[in-house]
């Protein structure tokens, strides 16, 4: 096995970072939900006032529940006046809807805000699918827009949630539902970063026995990594590495919002399947070409140790006429490390670009 793969697994195994309201006069409320252990919760945010509070509480029983495809429980937060324009926030690998804890209540003062836990993460169901590809979360987002939001929305995504936002916006069926896209240190491959040889698959290069041994070794490494990285002290340590400017925002609630979902009996299997899926053939370059002039905002943490400013440079170069970039003094998760600045930029983007 290539040393590069082992280093990549080690890196992404620490990415567990990347990895809800009032009920009156048109203001949405969280009425009931089903958490990962199917416990029913009534009005988990009934006493939360987003007009005065700027951080939602962590509630491990969950917030609201949407039954996707009549099979999967999807936990989500909804907040704000239902008559206002919609914003849908999409978290990154290993995180959850709670990762938008500082953004939801502030943005809800002017918009109808949603944040859902991706299938396999957070407080949503964690089925052992054959594969967890980008298509799964793209389809989940599209159906969420159709069945829950029920009106056009701006998608904002962090890390792999950025890739999900971009992929959804570039999908023909989703275009009537997407008004704008915000990428916060978005993940994704570019064509110029993959050599021709890596793209080709030949029968000569395939050895079933070697592949079997390789997959077993990968599984062993990833299983060990999962056990280590779900420990609170380790989660806090990794988070602080990617919150280099404001590590004080790594608090016990954030750590618990990552640790608790990892206790699910299927969590390690989902972790393995996501880590070993490379979404071959899905490139940021192609998605940008299919956006059809959708307004794009890049809120980029310029101190990100994982996805640096060069990725934002490439996006801007390929989609210059309809994009705007703001550098944020933050690491990989600018929305949680520097939420005031990110909230301000999203509001400005909505007012000056999306809603004109």
């Amino acid at each position: 096995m290539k040393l590069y793969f082992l280093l990549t697994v080690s890196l992404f195994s620490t990415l567990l970072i990347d990895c809800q309201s009032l009920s009156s006069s048109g203001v949405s409320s969280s009425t009931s939900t089903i958490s990962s252990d199917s416990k029913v919760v009534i009005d988990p945010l009934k006493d939360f006032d987003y007009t005065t509070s700027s951080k939602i509480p962590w509630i491990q029983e969950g917030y609201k529940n949407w039954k996707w495809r009549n099979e999967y429980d999807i936990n989500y937060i909804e907040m704000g006046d239902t008559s206002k324009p919609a914003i849908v926030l999409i978290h990154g690998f290993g995180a959850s809807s709670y990762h938008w804890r500082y953004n939801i209540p502030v943005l809800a003062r002017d918009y109808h805000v949603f944040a859902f836990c991706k299938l396999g993460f957070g407080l949503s169901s964690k089925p052992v699918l054959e594969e967890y590809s980008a298509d799964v979360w793209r389809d989940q987002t599209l159906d969420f827009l159709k069945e829950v939001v029920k009106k056009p929305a701006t998608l904002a995504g962090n890390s792999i949630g950025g890739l999900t936002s971009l992929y959804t916006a570039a999908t023909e069926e989703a275009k009537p539902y997407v008004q704008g896209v915000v990428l916060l240190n978005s993940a994704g491959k570019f064509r110029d970063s993959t050599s021709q040889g890596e793209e080709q698959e030949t029968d000569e290069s395939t050895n079933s026995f070697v592949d079997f041994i390789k997959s077993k070794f990968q599984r062993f490494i990833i299983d060990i990594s999962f056990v280590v990285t779900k420990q609170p002290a380790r989660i806090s340590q990794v988070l602080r590495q990617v919150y280099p400017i404001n590590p004080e925002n790594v608090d016990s609630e954030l750590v618990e919002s990552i640790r608790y979902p990892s206790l699910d009996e299927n969590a390690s299997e989902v972790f393995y399947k996501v880590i070993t899926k490379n979404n071959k053939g899905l490139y940021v370059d192609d998605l940008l070409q299919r956006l059809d002039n959708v307004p794009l905002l890049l809120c980029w943490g310029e101190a990100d140790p994982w996805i640096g400013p060069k990725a934002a440079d490439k996006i801007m170069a390929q989609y210059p006429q309809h994009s705007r970039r703001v550098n944020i003094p933050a690491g990989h998760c600018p929305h949680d490390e520097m939420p005031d600045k990110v909230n301000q930029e999203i509001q400005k983007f909505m007012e000056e670009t999306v809603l004109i």
Side-chain angles (χ1 to χ4, degrees):
M1 182 190 301
K2 294 181 181 179
L3 177 61
Y4 174 77
F5 174 80
L6 292 176
L7 293 174
T8 301
V9 168
S10 178
L11 171 64
F12 278 94
S13 69
T14 62
L15 251 171
L16 284 174
I17 47 110
D18 180 47
C19 344
Q20 36 184 328
S21 332
L22 301 178
S23 178
S24 61
S25 62
V27 179
S28 64
S29 62
S30 299
T31 55
S32 65
T33 187
I34 304 176
S35 71
S36 56
D37 61 2
S38 298
K39 180 179 179 180
V40 177
V41 180
I42 304 300
D43 293 330
L45 293 175
K46 65 178 180 180
D47 297 323
F48 182 79
D49 184 356
Y50 64 80
T51 65
T52 59
S53 300
S54 298
K55 177 186 176 183
I56 62 172
W58 161 246
I59 302 175
Q60 72 176 31
E61 291 80 10
Y63 303 92
K64 300 186 75 172
N65 187 76
W66 166 52
K67 183 72 75 171
W68 184 35
R69 295 178 172 174
N70 296 316
E71 184 174 4
Y72 307 123
D73 289 317
I74 302 300
N75 182 80
Y76 74 98
I77 301 167
E78 178 182 3
M79 199 168 286
D81 189 328
T82 59
S83 68
K84 298 292 183 65
I87 298 176
V88 178
L89 307 172
I90 305 175
H91 66 80
F93 177 73
S96 69
S97 57
Y98 181 73
H99 206 194
W100 302 97
R101 54 192 176 155
Y102 293 113
N103 315 104
I104 294 170
V106 175
L107 294 175
R109 295 166 193 170
D110 297 299
Y111 303 102
H112 188 193
V113 182
F114 300 82
F116 62 81
C117 294
K118 287 184 169 186
L119 188 72
F121 292 118
L123 300 176
S124 288
S125 296
K126 298 172 180 59
V128 181
L129 304 180
E130 183 175 347
E131 66 176 20
Y132 273 87
S133 68
D135 292 354
V136 171
W137 298 314
R138 185 273 313 270
D139 294 346
Q140 179 186 355
T141 303
L142 176 56
D143 288 344
F144 188 83
L145 289 169
K146 290 179 177 180
E147 299 177 19
V148 181
V149 181
K150 298 181 180 179
K151 58 185 175 184
T154 293
L155 305 180
N158 171 236
S159 193
I160 199 172
L163 181 62
T164 299
S165 299
L166 192 62
Y167 192 15
T168 303
T171 301
E172 196 64 35
E173 188 180 355
K175 290 181 179 180
Y177 299 94
V178 180
Q179 292 181 310
V181 175
V182 181
L183 301 182
L184 302 105
N185 295 68
S186 178
K189 298 183 296 184
F190 293 84
R191 285 193 173 276
D192 64 3
S193 64
T194 305
S195 70
Q196 191 72 14
E198 288 176 323
E199 280 303 289
Q200 295 176 347
E201 294 183 3
T202 62
D203 293 336
E204 290 77 13
S205 66
T206 302
N207 183 304
S208 59
F209 177 73
V210 172
D211 286 346
F212 174 77
I213 297 300
K214 178 180 175 180
S215 67
K216 293 300 182 182
F217 187 54
Q218 289 176 358
R219 182 55 183 266
F220 173 75
I221 294 295
I222 292 172
D223 282 350
I224 294 298
S225 299
F226 182 79
V227 171
V228 172
T229 56
K230 73 179 183 178
Q231 297 173 6
R234 179 57 177 155
I235 293 173
S236 179
Q237 179 186 21
V238 173
L239 286 170
R240 287 177 177 274
Q241 292 175 5
V242 291
Y243 283 54
I245 309 301
N246 189 19
E248 293 77 15
N249 272 18
V250 179
D251 58 20
S252 60
E253 286 190 323
L254 179 61
V255 170
E256 184 63 11
S257 74
I258 295 172
R259 187 200 70 84
Y260 180 74
S262 73
L263 302 179
D264 186 281
E265 62 181 3
N266 290 338
S268 62
E269 185 70 18
V270 172
F271 182 76
Y272 169 75
K273 287 181 174 293
V274 173
I275 288 292
T276 56
K277 180 63 182 178
N278 65 7
N279 292 310
K280 182 172 290 187
L282 184 66
Y283 296 99
V284 173
D285 318 58
D286 299 339
L287 298 179
L288 291 171
Q289 291 179 11
R290 290 156 43 190
L291 274 189
D292 289 346
N293 303 331
V294 173
L296 177 64
L297 171 65
L298 305 183
C299 277
W300 220 266
E302 54 190 350
D304 187 350
W306 291 337
I307 306 176
K310 288 185 178 180
D313 294 341
K314 290 183 178 181
I315 295 173
M316 289 294 295
Q318 295 185 35
Y319 198 69
Q321 294 183 336
H322 304 282
S323 60
R324 183 167 67 88
R325 175 178 173 180
V326 179
N327 291 326
I328 307 294
H332 188 62
C333 310
H335 61 291
D336 194 60
E337 188 177 5
M338 293 291 179
D340 291 345
K341 178 63 174 174
V342 170
N343 290 338
Q344 177 184 348
E345 293 299 336
I346 292 178
Q347 290 170 322
K348 183 178 180 180
F349 176 65
M350 294 291 291
E351 294 168 3
E352 299 181 359
T353 306
V354 176
L355 301 178
I356 59 173

